[in-house]
Amino acid sequence: MILFSIIAAIFLLIIVTSYIIHQNQLSKEDQLFTSTGKMVEVNGHQMHVYIEGDGEDTLVFMSGGGTSSPVLDFKSLYSLLSDKYKIVVVEKAGYGFSDISDTDRDMDTILQETREALLKSGVEGPYILFPHSMSGIEALYWAQVYPNEVKAIIGLDMAVPAAYKEYDINMPLIHLSAFAANIGFTRWISGLSESDAIKYGTLTDEEKEMYKVIFYRRTATKNMINEVQYIKENAEKVGAARIPNVPLLLFSSNGQGTGWNEEAWNEFQRDFISKHKESKLIKLDCSHYIHDIEFKRIADESEKYIESLNR
């Protein structure tokens, strides 16, 4: 009993010490946590919208679940496209520079907030959507409900509804990650803040440091957790409706980082596009954050695809 009390006291001391150090570091980093785009009020909270380029086609980049800094995560890819197209990155509630909000993450709320953020930023459709991972569900729903606003979908290893039917979501582990982030344990795990955007992309040293600053503020936020809690329901809702009648180009990974093996992950996407006439699948031999690794090829293939739509 005495030993248990000693261990508990030591553990509590570690937690308190980590939390204090974390809060001090956050205060020091406040001056670096400055948005690079527009802040607009949506549904009672501020959302960050980054815009680059002024081409006729508008490409909207939509981040996967849990991506701390969508603006920096997509940068290696969109920087190769912004000379020809208008690039827009909408950071959802709890992501990047956007506020952490109390709004639920059901599909209708997420989509309405994204659409309102775009319109309040002066960006009108139709849009070519570039969803990564979980946001593929949002992109498909967007095209189902507002088909006139979606010119095409270019999926960056995007999830399709079938992928979530039997997906085992470990909520206790997700809540543990949130606890670790809130008390600053994430600062003590070597390499944890080294995202694929940092490892493989073209970010400058200053942007890499900014990514880490954002990571310590936007890891397993309550909005990210709520998204995961809603994802099966959201995917079922989208899957129950027809596949939207918009052109689809899907880039697929080797499955690493998706929770599925390569064959299963690719089969979800192959089966999905087999039911759609205007679709194409390009297989890439890299892990889930394909836009941080194969950004040059994706940019080239996307440009060719967009130009084919405009002929």
Side-chain angles (χ1 to χ4, degrees):
M1 190 67 179
I2 295 176
L3 179 61
F4 176 78
S5 298
I6 293 173
I7 293 174
I10 292 173
F11 187 61
L12 180 61
L13 179 62
I14 292 172
I15 290 175
V16 172
T17 301
S18 179
Y19 179 76
I20 292 172
I21 293 173
H22 180 50
Q23 293 302 311
N24 286 336
Q25 285 299 116
L26 290 177
S27 296
K28 292 178 182 178
E29 295 162 355
D30 274 345
Q31 60 183 352
L32 298 175
F33 189 67
T34 305
S35 63
T36 53
K38 295 182 178 181
M39 300 298 296
V40 294
E41 184 174 347
V42 176
N43 208 9
H45 56 88
Q46 294 290 315
M47 289 181 66
H48 181 234
V49 181
Y50 177 81
I51 303 170
E52 181 175 306
D54 57 1
E56 291 186 10
D57 283 303
T58 300
L59 317 185
V60 178
F61 288 78
M62 306 162 68
S63 70
T67 300
S68 299
S69 176
V71 167
L72 293 176
D73 181 61
F74 286 123
K75 188 175 189 300
S76 297
L77 175 56
Y78 69 63
S79 62
L80 297 178
L81 296 167
S82 59
D83 59 334
K84 288 193 173 183
Y85 311 105
K86 176 178 285 187
I87 303 299
V88 187
V89 183
V90 179
E91 295 190 318
K92 295 177 290 186
Y95 288 74
F97 294 110
S98 292
D99 288 348
I100 298 172
S101 79
D102 293 321
T103 56
D104 278 338
R105 300 290 88 193
D106 61 278
M107 189 52 57
D108 287 287
T109 300
I110 292 175
L111 178 55
Q112 290 305 323
E113 288 184 357
T114 298
R115 293 175 66 244
E116 186 175 344
L118 285 167
L119 293 177
K120 285 192 171 181
S121 300
V123 181
E124 298 182 351
Y127 312 108
I128 298 176
L129 307 180
F130 277 70
H132 173 238
S133 193
M134 188 186 291
S135 66
I137 303 300
E138 180 187 351
L140 293 171
Y141 189 59
W142 197 337
Q144 288 171 344
V145 180
Y146 302 101
N148 293 335
E149 295 182 7
V150 181
K151 181 174 180 177
I153 296 175
I154 298 180
L156 303 174
D157 210 30
M158 79 177 211
V160 297
Y164 291 107
K165 274 189 177 180
E166 298 179 9
Y167 192 64
D168 184 21
I169 300 174
N170 191 336
M171 289 309 301
L173 182 60
I174 292 173
H175 284 295
L176 182 61
S177 298
F179 175 73
N182 289 334
I183 65 175
F185 272 11
T186 48
R187 291 185 183 272
W188 314 120
I189 303 175
S190 178
L192 191 61
S193 63
E194 297 284 324
S195 68
D196 282 354
I198 292 175
K199 291 178 184 176
Y200 306 111
T202 58
L203 299 182
T204 65
D205 289 342
E206 290 78 11
E207 288 168 338
K208 290 177 181 179
E209 286 305 308
M210 173 63 81
Y211 200 114
K212 293 177 182 179
V213 166
I214 298 171
F215 173 81
Y216 294 128
R217 285 167 165 75
R218 297 292 186 265
T219 293
T221 64
K222 67 179 181 180
N223 294 124
M224 294 175 181
I225 293 173
N226 196 228
E227 274 184 357
V228 175
Q229 291 169 327
Y230 265 104
I231 188 55
K232 283 182 176 286
E233 178 183 325
N234 288 338
E236 185 178 356
K237 183 174 185 176
V238 174
R242 279 186 169 187
I243 295 176
N245 187 29
V246 298
L248 293 171
L249 170 61
L250 303 188
F251 292 97
S252 182
S253 75
N254 59 18
Q256 293 180 18
T258 66
W260 297 97
N261 62 42
E262 182 172 1
E263 181 55 33
W265 181 249
N266 293 158
E267 183 59 30
F268 287 132
Q269 296 173 329
R270 282 196 301 266
D271 181 65
F272 183 79
I273 67 167
S274 69
K275 304 167 186 173
H276 191 281
K277 293 180 180 179
E278 290 186 86
S279 61
K280 181 180 180 181
L281 178 66
I282 296 177
K283 178 75 169 59
L284 302 173
D285 187 18
C286 64
S287 56
H288 188 42
Y289 277 74
I290 57 174
H291 49 281
D292 291 324
I293 304 169
E294 290 281 4
F295 47 89
K296 290 181 181 178
R297 183 178 177 191
I298 293 173
D300 289 341
E301 295 285 358
S302 296
E303 184 176 333
K304 286 189 289 185
Y305 187 72
I306 294 169
E307 293 312 304
S308 73
L309 296 176
N310 292 332
R311 291 192 191 115

